[in-house]
Amino acid sequence: RTEITTANGQKLKLIYPGSFVMGASRREAGRQANEVIRNVSLTKPFYLSLTEITNQQFAAFDAEHTSGTLEGRTLNNPDQPVVRVTWNQAALYANWLSAQENLPPFYTVEGDTVTGINSDSTGYRLPLETEWEWAARVAGDPGSMLKFPWGAELPPPENQGNYADISAASFLGRILVNYNDGFMGTAPVGSFAANSNGFYDMGGNVAEWVHDYYGTAVQLGNNIEIDPYGPTTGTYHVVRGSSWAHGSVTELRLSYRDYSNEPRDDVGF
């Protein structure tokens, strides 16, 4: 089916990916050293959630969790994206969702800690970094990757997404001047238009945990990576996409790569 709904009410869309070049040229303004050019081939169709996971959806798994507040305003409304979750919590949510549908768990767990994966599982997991980049950047032609969620140039069009704007100027250092999306922190998921692939908030609102441990790949000639799961071990996991707290040319680009091992008020999944 082209679209499915999970036992917890999330809508997922089927993607048939292919081969593409991820990363950014060294000549690109704002580019970081970890955005190396990589030739990637994704051979397996996959389903991806149309929106970020909400507080209401996460509460079905962990009723005690709270996304907290920001400058006195709640981040914990039911339709806002869940934040202040660790990568491990996000992975455990995926396993919990698999259990609701009697699917084999993707992540192997000891106690409450993810210790490995079952790559043959048909259960839920976090998207691979490469899958995230395909869904965010490939707009019809894999040979022409989007630079920003809206196109090739700054600034973003009016009401394009939830970024660091003048409403957050009092506590954020770098913002988009002359831009106001109407939200100081997180916005209800899907508040802005979907991208050309049908996914919401791939740029802005909250950045997202993806499956991969963080690493910096080295491209060897024209070598093609096929369905890469990333490093097998690491201290940090990859975070992709900009958020409500981002407003610079570096962070707003879709090739921007971040990493963390701590929960943050601008990172969900």
Side-chain angles (χ1 to χ4, degrees), residues 22-24 30-38 128-130 132-133 137 207-208 210-218 225 229-231 236-242 246 249-260 264:
M22 63 184 290
R31 187 234 192 220
Q32 299 185 115
N34 65 2
E35 300 170 27
V36 296
I37 296 291
R38 298 168 61 190
L128 305 179
E129 181 176 12
T130 50
W132 186 97
E133 186 143 344
R137 298 191 66 192
E208 291 114 27
V210 294
H211 167 77
D212 309 41
Y213 280 109
Y214 176 73
T216 51
V218 177
E225 301 175 61
Y229 277 77
Y236 304 98
H237 280 92
V238 178
V239 175
R240 291 301 305 262
S242 57
H246 292 146
V249 64
T250 292
E251 299 156 336
L252 295 175
R253 294 171 310 112
L254 288 170
S255 59
Y256 171 65
R257 301 179 72 227
D258 198 0
Y259 59 92
S260 184
R264 289 173 19 192

Side-chain angles (χ1 to χ4, degrees), residues 2 8 15-16 18 43 71-72 75 84 90 104 128 151 157 173 177 180 184 215 222 243 249 259 268-269:
T2 57
N8 200 26
I15 297 179
Y16 288 95
T43 66
E71 297 293 307
L75 300 176
R84 295 191 170 105
L128 305 179
V177 295
N180 189 349
M184 187 181 72
N222 293 320
S243 77
V249 64
Y259 59 92
F269 68 102

Side-chain angles (χ1 to χ4, degrees), residues 115-187:
T115 57
I117 66 171
N118 172 15
S119 59
D120 293 325
S121 167
T122 55
Y124 293 100
R125 58 168 169 80
L126 297 173
L128 305 179
E129 181 176 12
T130 50
E131 292 170 338
W132 186 97
E133 186 143 344
W134 177 280
R137 298 191 66 192
V138 176
D141 177 12
S144 181
M145 303 285 283
L146 283 174
K147 181 178 180 180
F148 300 105
W150 56 85
E153 303 293 337
L154 282 171
E158 183 180 355
N159 206 39
Q160 200 285 323
N162 182 15
Y163 306 106
D165 62 1
I166 57 176
S167 68
S170 63
F171 62 95
L172 289 179
R174 185 171 294 178
I175 64 167
L176 290 163
V177 295
N178 301 321
Y179 184 81
N180 189 349
D181 52 55
F183 298 96
M184 187 181 72
T186 61

